[in-house]
Every structure is written in C-alpha cells, then in structure tokens.
Amino acid sequence: LDTVCWESCDACPEQIFGCTDSDAPNYDENATDDDGSCIELGEPANLFFSEYAEGSSNNKYLEIYNATDGDVDLSTYSLSSCSNGCNVVGEWDYADNVTFNATVAAGDVYVVCHGSASDEIAAECDQTFTYLSNGDDVFALTQLYTGIVLDVIGLVGDDPGSGWEVAGVSNATKDHTLVRKSEVTSGNPLWLDNPDTSEQGSAGDDADDSEWVVFDQNTWDYLGSHPHAFSYDCAGTINGDAATDECGTCDSDASN
C-alpha cells in the first residue's frame, strides 16, 4: 500500500509554510501553514534625509534621521534611485536599490556610505553601498511594498547635467555637502516647487526658503548626528564671525 496520512486513506497534503494573511504585503497564496512571517506595514515612520555628500573621490554618503520618539525597524524601508535623472518619469531605474536589516534609535541617524570613503566617514557609516550619487542621480527614501516616497534628493525626470540647484547654489548636489536645517521636522517628497499646488520643494529657491544648508565639498563636520544649529554672520556666512564696524558696514575680514 502507498503511504497515507494518519487516520486517513489518502496521502498527506503538501505542507507549505509562509504568510497566510491576505492583507499582508508578503501574502503567499500558495502557503498552507502560517510561519509568522507576515509583515504589518502601517503608516510610514517619520524618517528623512538629514545629510547628503558628494565629495571628492568616493567620499559619498546619505544620512537618514529618525525623527520619531521610538526605535524604527528599517527592514520595511529602502532607497530607490535613478541614474542621470530617470528614464521614465514616475518610475525608478532601481526600485528598492538599497534595503536594510537594522534598527535606528529615536533621534539617531543611520548612514549609508561608499565602501571606499574616507576614515572620517567610515567611522560614522552603518552600511556601505557602491553606487551612490555622482551629483545627478536621484535617491529617495521609500517604503517597501507600497512604494511610498518619504523623502527625495533630486528630481525624477530628465538628466539635470552635473547636478541640481539647491538654495540658489548651482550644481549643489555635485561636489558639495547638504545638511538639513533643524527646523525641518519631516521628509519632503517634493524636490522642486510645485506651481500647481504652491507646495514648496525641499531644494528651495534661495538660502532662506531651502530646507538645506549647502557646504563646500568634503565638509564632514556634521555627519553622525542631527539636528544642528547654524548661525549666520553679517556677510551671510554660516557659522562665520564677520562683524559690523562702527559705520554699520559688514567687515567680512573681521576675523583676520
């Protein structure tokens, strides 16, 4: 006789373990037994890019900030990207290009850097990824399965050339470091202004309305934590010390 299942005249049905919750994003229609792997997504956590660098050589990184009051499991989030703009508007060249297997604590940051970045960057780096932006590559912080964009650097569309303008600085995403202003408390999936809705993009039109402060290439002073307080001297230099003289004229050489 053929082998049969206990207390049956038939063979045992095939047992397939997986997620059996049809509402879960990783539902397996072929699964016969739930293995506890079902994912509950819920609303995306308040995560956003707090710093970006496109430095000399391979000194590149993206810093993600957890603006919530609790730990966030990054396993349901990803980085999606496009090389040289995007070939098709509304579609990523590389959806979920970077995934995570880590947790970021409340008020802490998670840094993705190039594997050959400088020692200063490597000391703060949590995960390496080779194909970070050369200045004209879009990167977005996205939720797995839903594709919801939490934050973005760059514009989905045509190749901008060398890079995008930020805070009135030409090609700011090329050969610069961008640090998010402390008053920004959530991500902005809009990079440029939207004239149809009057929504302000995070890049901004000038230093005042941009969500970013633009620093010279290879500025690593702010990497590894967030937020940061910036001051401006009378010459408009960030954290500068130029002073106004007795005639009310800004002396940009006051520090000398």
Side-chain angles (χ1 to χ4, degrees):
L1 294 176
D2 294 333
T3 302
V4 296
C5 222
W6 180 255
E7 295 186 342
S8 171
C9 295
D10 300 314
C12 292
E14 182 182 5
Q15 193 173 30
I16 303 173
F17 291 96
C19 174
T20 59
D21 182 356
S22 60
D23 293 327
N26 61 329
Y27 167 65
D28 184 354
E29 63 180 8
N30 296 314
T32 61
D33 293 88
D34 195 281
D35 61 0
S37 65
C38 293
I39 295 173
E40 295 183 15
L41 287 178
E43 291 296 319
N46 190 10
L47 303 170
F48 60 88
F49 292 128
S50 49
E51 194 163 334
Y52 158 97
E54 202 286 314
S56 61
S57 186
N58 292 318
N59 294 318
K60 308 169 188 287
Y61 61 80
L62 283 166
E63 181 185 85
I64 300 168
Y65 176 59
N66 177 6
T68 76
D69 56 3
D71 295 352
V72 173
D73 180 2
L74 294 178
S75 64
T76 56
Y77 299 92
S78 63
L79 297 179
S80 297
S81 63
C82 282
S83 297
N84 308 321
C86 282
N87 296 330
V88 179
V89 175
E91 294 183 12
W92 300 111
D93 289 347
Y94 307 101
D96 306 325
N97 203 12
V98 180
T99 55
F100 309 102
N101 183 21
T103 298
V104 58
D108 201 359
V109 298
Y110 189 87
V111 178
V112 179
C113 75
H114 192 285
S116 299
S118 68
D119 291 343
E120 295 92 337
I121 295 174
E124 302 292 345
C125 187
D126 298 294
Q127 180 172 333
T128 60
F129 181 69
T130 299
Y131 304 106
L132 291 171
S133 179
N134 289 321
D136 60 351
D137 305 311
V138 188
F139 269 84
L141 180 59
T142 45
Q143 186 180 44
L144 280 173
Y145 304 106
T146 68
I148 292 174
V149 177
L150 285 70
D151 204 5
V152 65
I153 295 176
L155 183 66
V156 175
D158 295 335
D159 187 348
S162 296
W164 287 276
E165 180 177 303
V166 182
V169 178
S170 178
N171 294 327
T173 54
K174 174 71 173 175
D175 299 333
H176 290 89
T177 295
L178 308 180
V179 180
R180 213 68 175 263
K181 292 179 178 178
S182 59
E183 57 263 33
V184 177
T185 57
S186 62
N188 188 345
L190 190 66
W191 180 246
L192 298 180
D193 301 350
N194 187 337
D196 296 329
T197 62
S198 299
E199 290 182 273
Q200 181 75 44
S202 68
D205 303 307
D206 53 42
D208 291 331
D209 66 9
S210 176
E211 294 185 7
W212 300 91
V213 180
V214 181
F215 290 91
D216 291 338
Q217 186 183 44
N218 297 340
T219 300
W220 322 133
D221 302 27
Y222 307 101
L223 177 61
S225 66
H226 190 76
H228 305 281
F230 301 116
S231 63
Y232 297 82
D233 64 13
C234 63
T237 302
I238 301 167
N239 297 334
D241 53 10
T244 303
D245 64 18
E246 64 274 9
C247 297
T249 302
C250 180
D251 181 3
S252 59
D253 295 325
S255 60
N256 298 325

